Amino acid sequence: MKTAFTVQAKGPDAPMDDRFGRATVYAIIDDDSDDPNYLENPSLSSSSGAGPASVEFLSRHGVRKVVTGNVGPKAARALRAAGITVYRAQRGNLSENLAALQANTLERIDLEQPGSSPNRGPDRARS
Amino acid sequence: MPSIACASGKGGTGKTTVATNLARIMAYERDTHLVDCDVEGPNAHHFFTLESTQRSPVHVPVPHIDLSHCDLCGVCSDACAFHAISVLADTALVFPELCHGCGVCAYICPRNAITERPRTIGSVLEATCDGMAFTGGSLNPGEPMPPPIIQAAKKTARGRDYIIIDASPGSTCATVEAVHGTNFCLLVTEPTPFGLSDLRMAVGMCRRLDVPYGVVINRSDLGDGRVEDYCKEEAIPVLGRFPSDRCIADVYARGALIVDHNSAWEDRFRGLLMALDRLLKREVNHG
């Protein structure tokens, strides 16, 4: 199963990107491999609809899970329809979040109410 | 049928004051239609007693996808410039609030699975007031797209001898839509660094739209001389210089028109109309 991590750059040390639709890079990692495939976000600078467009982009790449900071309402609707599960990223970089996902310690984001978690600051996913 | 837009780069410079008072003076002798195209914050109607009002909804066409005919090929989503359609592994979603109503998805769908359905995003109010015609466009709260309302509002004034359009501040899509296709644009500004900075953008917009323009300097006795210098350097006609006057604020706050209450201001607006007539005549001769 493929998981997409929103990151600010390419590489295992890249800090997580809080934004889902306007993340700089998607690091896509298959369950049976530790080697990420880095895809630049094609809707990074689009004027509108970056969230749903990113869901479509990731869905076409076979992504079933996402690890990110925040998800907007339109992206949440598309993620629900695409059947993609979303986890809230922890402070730190890509490899730390991959380890946390594998250890099953990431919190799931409720796509019915996708607002940011109240007990964490808005830039919790930045290192 | 000249149409005159009142615009301003900066908000709060007196654009609506100029549009409403100029319309009143003009309507004394001419068939005049005032169109409030500041659809995100319409307020020109406060200054008139409106009669025989009629409000009509404004729709934009948005796609409806018949999933029993859709084979999820994704052609519509690729064609949509605004990401209003997401085609996923086993369904397709429409985001109406992102749709600009261009219709390309319905046109391009190879399976004819897309039809367009109207969605209400606001309304236009048509009325008469003291012999003048009035239209006010209004965008529903939360809606992001003013241009369809502006188009609908401008359409109601077609065929009038004189049309005055109150545009929104700035130089965004909404302002462009209001100013586009008019015969002249009055740029209301103030002699401050903010007024000058935004005036430059508004001038750039008029040049791109190929709409002739001139400046009204409001509160001309305050601030500094840089707006005057700029207009001189760029050979931009200044059609009026209005002093700062507490009286105008008092009358405005009561929802009344200064030309109805103060003869000095009536004279100033008559002077503005004469200057405008001269420039319009010149444009007609050169056009």
Side-chain angles (χ1 to χ4, degrees), chain B residues 139-264:
Chain B
L139 185 67
N140 287 349
E143 289 293 342
M145 215 169 33
I149 310 280
I150 295 167
Q151 286 163 13
K154 284 172 82 172
K155 213 167 156 182
T156 63
R158 271 188 200 155
R160 292 280 172 181
D161 287 353
Y162 284 84
I163 300 166
I164 295 183
I165 290 168
D166 189 10
S168 56
S171 43
T172 62
C173 288
T175 316
V176 167
E177 191 66 52
V179 174
H180 178 72
T182 57
N183 300 94
F184 197 86
C185 184
L186 274 178
L187 296 172
V188 184
T189 189
E190 60 181 31
T192 63
F194 312 107
L196 176 59
S197 170
D198 292 353
L199 175 63
R200 287 175 190 273
M201 285 192 268
V203 164
M205 176 189 72
C206 289
R207 287 179 180 161
R208 287 284 294 274
L209 292 173
D210 205 18
V211 170
Y213 53 92
V215 164
V216 174
I217 305 177
N218 198 9
R219 305 182 193 98
S220 58
D221 47 343
L222 304 178
D224 59 37
R226 282 185 284 175
V227 166
E228 288 277 3
D229 294 345
Y230 170 70
C231 291
K232 198 180 264 176
E233 278 162 30
E234 297 284 329
I236 300 169
V238 177
L239 286 82
R241 291 175 182 82
F242 293 164
S244 179
D245 183 354
R246 201 193 148 88
C247 170
I248 201 167
D250 286 340
V251 173
Y252 184 93
R254 293 205 308 269
L257 295 169
I258 190 71
V259 293
D260 292 347
H261 291 271
N262 184 304
S263 60

Side-chain angles (χ1 to χ4, degrees), chain A residues 24-116:
Chain A
T24 313
V25 172
Y26 297 108
I28 298 180
I29 305 180
D30 215 323
D31 277 352
D32 47 18
S33 146
D34 278 347
D35 211 12
N37 181 20
Y38 296 102
L39 300 174
E40 281 174 22
N41 181 358
S43 15
L44 184 57
S45 55
S46 65
S47 63
S48 70
S54 298
V55 176
E56 191 175 18
F57 176 72
L58 296 176
S59 177
R60 283 182 188 182
H61 279 88
V63 166
R64 309 296 304 149
K65 283 189 276 188
V66 163
V67 178
T68 189
N70 296 312
V71 172
K74 289 192 279 290
R77 195 183 143 213
L79 286 161
R80 280 203 309 270
I84 293 175
T85 313
V86 186
Y87 297 89
R88 200 178 295 285
Q90 291 179 350
R91 196 179 287 274
N93 61 25
L94 173 59
S95 40
E96 287 158 353
N97 273 273
L98 175 60
L101 180 73
Q102 287 165 345
N104 224 359
T105 58
L106 291 183
E107 168 205 353
R108 256 180 86 161
I109 293 180
D110 179 5
L111 293 177
E112 300 291 335
Q113 289 170 321
S116 3

Side-chain angles (χ1 to χ4, degrees), chain A residues 43 46-50 52-53 55-56 59-60 64 73-75 77-79 81-82, chain B residues 73-74 77-78 81-83 85-91 93-98 100:
Chain A
S43 15
S46 65
S47 63
S48 70
V55 176
E56 191 175 18
S59 177
R60 283 182 188 182
R64 309 296 304 149
K74 289 192 279 290
R77 195 183 143 213
L79 286 161
Chain B
C73 70
S77 160
D78 291 341
F82 305 101
H83 302 309
I85 299 178
S86 286
V87 177
L88 304 167
D90 50 15
T91 192
L93 295 180
V94 175
F95 292 88
E97 63 275 39
L98 296 176
H100 285 227

